Amino acid sequence: MSFLLNRASVIGMSLLLAASASFLYVRTGGVKNIPAGNVGFVDRIDGSYSQIILQPGVRFVTLVWERINVIEVKQTTTTGILKGKTLEGLPVSVVLQITFERESNADLFAGTYDNGSDSFASELNKAIACAFESYAGKTTSLSFVPIESVEQNTDIALLSYFNSDAQLQKLGAKVIQVQVKRKWLTPELQVPIETIQQLDQIVKDVGSAAHQQACLNNPNCNSD
C-alpha cells in the first residue's frame, strides 16, 4: 500500500512539475503563436539575440533562456501634429497617415529592443517629425495649399522623401503610402483658403436646395 501511495505521490509531483514547467515556458515567451502578417524576434537573457527571424505559426525556443517577441511587419500610424517652416520661412503643420513595413532583420529589431520592450514606435515618431521638418524646409508653401492635384503631389513627394531618410532607413521602416489628413498654413494663407472653401460649400448647399425646390412636382427631374 505504501508503495502505491509513494508511486502516486511521485506521479502527482511529476505532473505538477510538468504543468509548472509548461506554464513557465509559455509565460517566459518560450512558445508563441505568431499570427499572419507578423514575425518573431528571439532575444536571450544574456542580452544577445538570434539572427533567425521566425515566420507565422506556433514556434518554440529554449525554456527561460530565450524569448519570442512578436512583431507586426506592416503597420499604419497616424502622426500627431508635425511642424516645419517652408522654403519661404512660413510655418506649416500637418497630420499624416503613414503605412509602412518593417524590414525583417534581426540587427534592426535588436536596435529598438531593450529587455523585451520595443521602443520602435517612439523612435519612428521622432524620425518622421525630423524628416517632415526637413522636407518642409525644401518645399514651397504652395505645395500645402488644399487643391486636389497639388495635395496628391505632396503625398507622393513625402513618400519619396521619407524612403530616402537616413533615420527611417536605420529603423528599417519602408514607407508604402503617405496621406496628408490635415494641414495648417500661416494665417495669412489659411484664412483666405478656408473662406474660399466655406463660400464654395455655401454655393453648393444653395444650389442643391434650389434644385430640390425646382424639382417639386416637376416630372422632368426624374426623366433620363
Side-chain angles (χ1 to χ4, degrees):
M1 179 66 71
S2 60
F3 171 75
L4 292 176
L5 288 174
N6 288 337
R7 186 178 180 185
S9 298
V10 170
I11 293 173
M13 184 61 69
S14 298
L15 291 173
L16 180 61
L17 289 173
S20 299
S22 298
F23 176 77
L24 182 62
Y25 195 37
V26 173
R27 289 286 294 175
T28 57
V31 57
K32 282 283 179 69
N33 179 31
I34 304 173
N38 295 257
V39 296
F41 167 66
V42 181
D43 63 352
R44 304 186 178 106
I45 199 169
D46 66 350
S48 63
Y49 56 91
S50 172
Q51 289 289 342
I52 299 173
I53 299 299
L54 303 179
Q55 298 306 309
V58 178
R59 305 298 176 195
F60 302 86
V61 291
T62 307
L63 174 64
V64 180
W65 178 249
E66 294 181 317
R67 170 180 48 206
I68 301 172
N69 302 285
V70 177
I71 297 173
E72 186 177 4
V73 179
K74 187 176 180 181
Q75 302 179 35
T76 298
T77 185
T78 300
T79 70
I81 297 174
L82 306 177
K83 297 182 179 182
K85 286 192 175 181
T86 65
L87 191 62
E88 302 88 352
L90 299 175
V92 60
S93 300
V94 299
V95 172
L96 305 178
Q97 181 174 290
I98 300 173
T99 301
F100 63 93
E101 192 167 301
R102 294 185 71 175
E103 185 179 339
S104 295
N105 179 290
D107 293 333
L108 294 174
F109 289 154
T112 62
Y113 262 89
D114 181 22
N115 194 29
S117 177
D118 190 3
S119 62
F120 174 81
S122 60
E123 292 186 27
L124 178 72
N125 290 337
K126 293 176 188 175
I128 289 173
C130 289
F132 176 75
E133 185 177 9
S134 175
Y135 170 83
K138 299 178 176 68
T139 311
T140 174
S141 298
L142 293 176
S143 296
F144 297 99
V145 173
I147 299 173
E148 187 174 348
S149 60
V150 176
E151 192 171 57
Q152 180 64 29
N153 289 334
T154 300
D155 292 347
I156 294 172
L158 278 167
L159 174 64
S160 176
Y161 195 85
F162 283 173
N163 277 324
S164 65
D165 181 74
Q167 189 59 36
L168 287 169
Q169 289 178 348
K170 185 178 177 181
L171 288 172
K174 180 182 178 183
V175 180
I176 300 170
Q177 184 182 43
V178 179
Q179 290 181 296
V180 180
K181 305 301 290 184
R182 184 77 192 272
K183 65 169 79 67
W184 297 268
L185 296 164
T186 179
E188 289 77 12
L189 292 174
Q190 190 74 28
V191 170
I193 288 170
E194 291 184 352
T195 301
I196 291 171
Q197 290 176 329
Q198 289 170 2
L199 288 174
D200 183 55
Q201 188 59 49
I202 290 171
V203 170
K204 287 180 181 177
D205 291 343
V206 170
S208 177
H211 183 269
Q212 291 177 11
Q213 183 64 33
C215 277
L216 287 175
N217 302 319
N218 186 339
N220 291 320
C221 285
N222 297 320
S223 63
D224 295 326

